[in-house]
Amino acid sequence: MSSDLEWDQPACSVSGQREVLCLPAAVGGRERWCLLHAFGMDSKLPSSVRSTLLELFGQIEREFENLYIENLELRREIDTLNERLAAEGQAIDGAELSKGQLKTKASHSTSQLSQKLKTTYKASTSKIVSSFKTTTSRAACQLVKEYIGHRDGIWDVSVARTQPVVLGTASADHTALLWSIETGKCLVKYAGHVGSVNSIKFHPSEQLALTASGDQTAHIWRYAVQLPTPQPVADTSQISGEDEVECSDKDEPDLDGDVSSDCPTIRVPLTSLKSHQGVVIAADWLVGGKQAVTASWDRTANLYDVETSELVHSLTGHDQELTHCCTHPTQRLVVTSSRDTTFRLWDFRDPSIHSVNVFQGHTDTVTSAVFTVGDNVVSGSDDRTVKVWDLKNMRSPIATIRTDSAINRINVCVGQKIIALPHDNRQVRLFDMSGVRLARLPRSSRQGHRRMVCCSAWSEDHPVCNLFTCGFDRQAIGWNINIPALLQEK
């Protein structure tokens, strides 16, 4: 330390049994931290926490140093422009500018520089806030398990609602797989479709699965599984690496061995739902599980009786291909999404008549719309926005989330009102229902998705993984989200 620093008091004095260290104001935050440790004044914080704090203080100091230097340069620019304006005021037509003209020009230039200062300040402070949020996200969002075995991209992921609780994935490789959540082992393989399997949903009370396919059908099939003994979960929370690391195809999971070849295979469905003239892109169970709804590229959605496989209603009205369908957990309501930039609410609560409401608010394909608590619906779109709607007021959304990438099949944690957003750019972000960003799931060269993330699914009560995502990197991932920690940091 330089000897020309002025000390207000002796460097170290004794007051009773307690040492008091007085540092000069010229010593920065990081230097103060180091000096405190040099004088033996260790805190009771663990060393790992102290190291993290020291690193963060260093980042803050560097950011503000950069901001200070940029502000000095901007001040010099202001002085130069003021001098130039004064010179111009004396040179035009040999006469001085009026005070009003000079004030107008000066205020215009000053406003531009003021805006530049604000932009620079916001950019610098956002980096600081981002560093804190990244640390929080890594602590609250941990990768627990990877489910690897599909031979092509995974379109959809779902969690069983009955015991035993298993994970289901639907893939472009023409199969659907059921997994042990705890061990990551494939339990059942369904190979009854002859086209891409685009969605999978579990029956609300029985061991039945509903899959939609590019072969223009939806299949209902029964499964029986025996869960293997759980193994200790590896701690992946210590994996280091930057969040924005570019990954090549070489980094994708090694799939030379077919992990699904050893598990039981089902090839014949219990029921096949056939009425569509195009790809069936999604399907879901109505409340109670006695009826199912399908959405197709033929621009229609169909409502079927599960026991007889008969078509009950054909829902028409969309102008372009459908992209998704979702049912209400407790009421006979269905919402369908479409490439025509709208989603529609179909009401089957009155058996004699079904009504439809059209929601218009997006400017590109609506990739999904899902029910949540109360009378709310959340919609995601290729226009890079997510909107929260009140079913009683269709004119405008009650909240809008704007992002930097197209959004795929979203899912809402109903109990905690948290929306999981899977993106085309390989990111997964978490927001609350009011539009406040809570976290971004960690992604580096060694963990996270390496290609487009297609779908997200919450399993609120599961002790190991409470969020699942899948993507076109041919893997599904189980995450442990510490929701109380996220909400505390909000």
Side-chain angles (χ1 to χ4, degrees):
M1 185 189 304
S2 175
S3 60
D4 58 354
L5 294 175
E6 295 182 6
W7 298 78
D8 296 333
Q9 300 180 35
C12 193
S13 60
V14 179
S15 176
Q17 299 298 319
R18 182 181 177 186
E19 292 185 350
V20 179
L21 178 64
C22 301
L23 301 177
V27 178
R30 183 170 43 179
E31 287 78 2
R32 286 174 176 268
W33 184 271
C34 295
L35 282 170
L36 287 173
H37 284 277
F39 279 95
M41 300 179 66
D42 291 335
S43 70
K44 295 181 180 179
L45 294 174
S47 59
S48 59
V49 176
R50 292 203 302 271
S51 299
T52 301
L53 286 174
L54 181 58
E55 180 183 352
L56 288 174
F57 286 141
Q59 292 178 13
I60 293 172
E61 185 175 4
R62 287 192 295 272
E63 292 293 343
F64 276 104
E65 283 176 355
N66 293 335
L67 182 60
Y68 178 71
I69 294 171
E70 290 176 4
N71 286 345
L72 288 179
E73 293 175 354
L74 288 173
R75 285 181 181 276
R76 283 195 290 269
E77 290 184 23
I78 292 174
D79 293 339
T80 302
L81 281 173
N82 285 336
E83 292 174 2
R84 189 187 307 167
L85 287 173
E88 289 176 356
Q90 294 176 354
I92 295 177
D93 294 332
E96 292 186 358
L97 283 174
S98 66
K99 291 183 179 179
Q101 290 173 308
L102 186 59
K103 183 177 180 181
T104 301
K105 294 188 74 176
S107 63
H108 177 68
S109 300
T110 305
S111 65
Q112 287 181 326
L113 288 168
S114 175
Q115 184 62 37
K116 189 173 181 180
L117 278 168
K118 289 179 181 178
T119 303
T120 304
Y121 173 75
K122 286 180 180 179
S124 301
T125 53
S126 67
K127 289 179 182 177
I128 299 167
V129 174
S130 177
S131 65
F132 280 107
K133 278 189 171 287
T134 300
T135 303
T136 302
S137 298
R138 286 175 178 169
C141 308
Q142 297 183 8
L143 187 152
V144 177
K145 185 67 67 175
E146 294 175 333
Y147 305 88
I148 300 173
H150 279 293
R151 309 295 299 183
D152 207 338
I154 305 176
W155 290 117
D156 200 21
V157 62
S158 183
V159 182
R161 291 182 273 180
T162 59
Q163 294 294 336
V165 178
V166 296
L167 181 71
T169 52
S171 171
D173 65 6
H174 299 191
T175 70
L177 299 180
L178 303 187
W179 308 81
S180 165
I181 293 177
E182 291 81 3
T183 67
K185 180 183 178 181
C186 179
L187 304 175
V188 172
K189 176 180 180 180
Y190 181 72
H193 286 291
V194 294
S196 169
V197 184
N198 301 319
S199 79
I200 181 169
K201 288 291 184 290
F202 291 95
H203 192 277
S205 59
E206 299 182 44
Q207 291 188 16
L208 295 173
L210 171 65
T211 50
S213 173
D215 61 14
Q216 303 184 6
T217 69
H219 288 181
I220 297 173
W221 43 280
R222 187 177 297 278
Y223 63 90
V225 297
Q226 183 175 0
L227 296 181
T229 304
Q231 300 296 323
V233 178
D235 184 10
T236 58
S237 62
Q238 302 301 321
I239 296 177
S240 60
E242 296 298 324
D243 285 345
E244 299 293 342
V245 176
E246 293 297 327
C247 304
S248 66
D249 292 342
K250 295 178 182 178
D251 294 324
E252 291 191 9
D254 183 8
L255 300 177
D256 290 338
D258 188 357
V259 299
S260 64
S261 60
D262 297 333
C263 64
T265 300
I266 301 173
R267 301 186 184 276
V268 180
L270 196 65
T271 302
S272 182
L273 308 178
K274 305 176 181 178
S275 291
H276 286 292
Q277 303 302 313
V279 168
V280 183
I281 196 65
D284 202 357
W285 303 89
L286 256 71
V287 57
K290 294 183 178 180
Q291 291 182 322
V293 63
T294 57
S296 172
W297 284 3
D298 64 9
R299 305 183 183 183
T300 68
N302 288 340
L303 184 65
Y304 294 91
D305 181 276
V306 170
E307 185 177 354
T308 64
S309 304
E310 292 182 358
L311 178 64
V312 179
H313 288 293
S314 183
L315 312 178
T316 60
H318 281 292
D319 296 329
Q320 295 188 40
E321 296 92 335
L322 272 64
T323 57
H324 190 250
C325 64
C326 180
T327 59
H328 195 282
T330 60
Q331 302 184 60
R332 290 176 55 80
L333 298 172
V334 176
V335 63
T336 55
S337 311
S338 172
R339 289 176 55 87
D340 63 11
T341 74
T342 72
F343 66 94
R344 295 180 176 233
L345 174 68
W346 309 83
D347 190 343
F348 296 101
R349 288 175 292 187
D350 186 344
S352 61
I353 186 173
H354 66 271
S355 62
V356 58
N357 293 311
V358 182
F359 289 74
Q360 297 175 321
H362 290 286
T363 58
D364 206 337
T365 298
V366 181
T367 53
S368 64
V370 297
F371 291 99
T372 179
V373 290
D375 294 321
N376 290 338
V377 169
V378 182
S379 61
S381 171
D382 280 344
D383 65 9
R384 303 182 180 184
T385 68
V386 170
K387 296 178 185 287
V388 182
W389 305 79
D390 187 341
L391 297 182
K392 299 176 183 177
N393 179 16
M394 301 180 296
R395 294 183 178 180
S396 60
I398 57 178
T400 298
I401 301 169
R402 304 187 188 280
T403 69
D404 60 352
S405 179
I407 297 147
N408 297 308
R409 292 180 177 177
I410 59 178
N411 196 249
V412 179
C413 176
V414 176
Q416 301 295 336
K417 301 181 181 180
I418 299 177
I419 313 168
L421 277 57
H423 288 282
D424 274 1
N425 66 357
R426 302 169 291 178
Q427 300 290 350
V428 180
R429 295 183 174 94
L430 306 181
F431 287 81
D432 69 9
M433 294 286 287
S434 61
V436 176
R437 175 177 160 180
L438 302 176
R440 181 181 64 189
L441 300 193
R443 193 182 71 81
S444 71
S445 59
R446 287 179 287 177
Q447 69 168 340
H449 287 288
R450 297 162 176 85
R451 288 197 177 181
M452 175 180 72
V453 189
C454 299
C455 181
S456 61
W458 288 94
S459 179
E460 300 180 44
D461 299 326
H462 199 278
V464 177
C465 303
N466 55 1
L467 176 64
F468 299 89
T469 57
C470 67
F472 242 62
D473 54 1
R474 299 177 285 179
Q475 68 172 335
I477 298 177
W479 305 86
N480 182 274
I481 310 299
N482 188 340
I483 296 177
L486 285 185
L487 297 179
Q488 187 177 5
E489 292 291 335
K490 188 168 75 168

